[in-house]
Amino acid sequence: MKKLIIAASLSLIALGVAHAGPPAPHQGGIESKDYKWNAQEGEKIEALKLKGDKKRGQEAYEVCGACHLPSGAGRPDGTFPQLAGQHTTVLIKQMADIRAGLRDNPTMYPFAATLTDPQELADVASYIEGLCIPTDHGKYEGADASLQIAKGKELYEKECLECHGKNGEGVKDKFYPVIAGQHYKYLLRQMTEIRDGHRRNANPDMVKIIKKYNNEQLVAISAYQSSMTMPGSMCAAKPGKKK
């Protein structure tokens, strides 16, 4: 049955159909005074308590690979993020938020909805976390790249490093994501949406930090972040190529 669901979902992608069902209902968000960024409830908590099975997770990931690629590399144009090597905590929270309607993602919702229960959330998250982080990903390509990266480094080290780490490794038990290897355009889009209040499941602590940055500063921070690598977590260099 799972294979049939995957096949049907992939067929929808091939036909250019984004919705395999109704979008998840809205249930408040950062704009609500009662919003709790990481409430300890729901299927997210159930999934976090379970041990993920990577073999089962690999099968469940097949439907994800159509957009995020079998390697978990995502798309350099920023439409789909790099997932490989991401913390299970972050993956489970984001999938659970999309399934519950707390994060608006109408493209991903139909596919997240194919995961049947908290165990499958844990399984696919475990598989994704175990993937090496691709070294080839979307970076800032402007002629002033060196300057932008230098500016971004200065800004990052002032307020981003504490949560996302020196090498973009994040903090697993605090649900802070890995950003090393992430695509420049995806980072810029997400930070802009968080700053502008369009990411309903954003961490309020991050909103307070990022809301003061202008577009040019977000470009610089994203340029630096997309240049980061995590020692021991990146994929091995391909023959004839340097990391």
Side-chain angles (χ1 to χ4, degrees):
M1 178 60 73
K2 186 66 180 179
K3 291 286 187 181
L4 291 175
I5 293 173
I6 291 172
S9 299
L10 294 177
S11 296
L12 286 169
I13 293 174
L15 291 170
V17 179
H19 299 278
H26 290 187
Q27 296 180 7
I30 196 167
E31 72 279 2
S32 170
K33 65 179 181 179
D34 298 321
Y35 173 63
K36 295 180 180 179
W37 172 67
N38 205 9
Q40 302 300 296
E41 59 189 25
E43 71 170 356
K44 175 189 71 178
I45 297 304
E46 293 181 51
L48 289 170
K49 292 178 180 178
L50 298 170
K51 180 177 176 58
D53 183 288
K54 291 184 179 180
K55 187 175 181 179
R56 290 197 303 261
Q58 182 175 12
E59 180 180 343
Y61 180 76
E62 286 182 32
V63 69
C64 312
C67 295
H68 296 281
L69 304 186
S71 64
R75 309 280 180 172
D77 64 3
T79 51
F80 300 104
Q82 173 268 115
L83 299 180
Q86 188 58 262
H87 300 309
T88 55
T89 52
V90 173
L91 293 164
I92 288 170
K93 172 175 167 51
Q94 295 305 317
M95 287 189 288
D97 281 357
I98 290 169
R99 284 160 63 88
L102 192 55
R103 178 176 175 181
D104 301 310
N105 194 325
T107 300
M108 183 173 169
Y109 174 77
F111 306 105
T114 67
L115 300 175
T116 56
D117 54 31
Q119 181 63 64
E120 197 157 29
L121 283 177
D123 292 344
V124 74
S126 178
Y127 174 71
I128 293 170
E129 185 183 53
L131 295 171
C132 66
I133 299 172
T135 55
D136 296 327
H137 59 274
K139 298 181 176 70
Y140 180 81
E141 296 179 345
D144 59 344
S146 296
L147 178 62
Q148 291 289 8
I149 289 172
K151 289 180 179 178
K153 183 176 188 292
E154 182 179 354
L155 291 168
Y156 180 88
E157 291 181 347
K158 282 183 178 179
E159 296 189 285
C160 310
L161 186 149
E162 183 178 353
C163 292
H164 292 289
K166 180 180 179 181
N167 299 304
E169 68 270 22
V171 182
K172 185 173 183 175
D173 63 356
K174 292 185 177 180
F175 297 77
Y176 299 156
V178 171
I179 54 176
Q182 190 57 265
H183 304 298
Y184 161 75
K185 290 183 179 179
Y186 181 78
L187 289 164
L188 180 59
R189 176 161 60 86
Q190 290 304 310
M191 286 198 290
T192 302
E193 289 185 359
I194 290 171
R195 182 196 63 183
D196 297 345
H198 300 314
R199 170 94 176 247
R200 292 193 306 114
N201 77 331
N203 184 338
D205 291 336
M206 183 171 178
V207 175
K208 291 176 184 177
I209 290 172
I210 206 170
K211 67 181 180 180
K212 61 179 174 288
Y213 292 122
N214 60 34
N215 290 344
E216 290 74 19
Q217 289 171 316
L218 291 187
V219 166
I221 295 170
S222 300
Y224 176 66
Q225 289 179 332
S226 67
S227 74
M228 303 178 86
T229 61
M230 283 173 59
S233 299
M234 310 302 288
C235 298
K238 295 178 181 179
K241 285 190 175 184
K242 295 182 179 180
K243 275 191 175 183

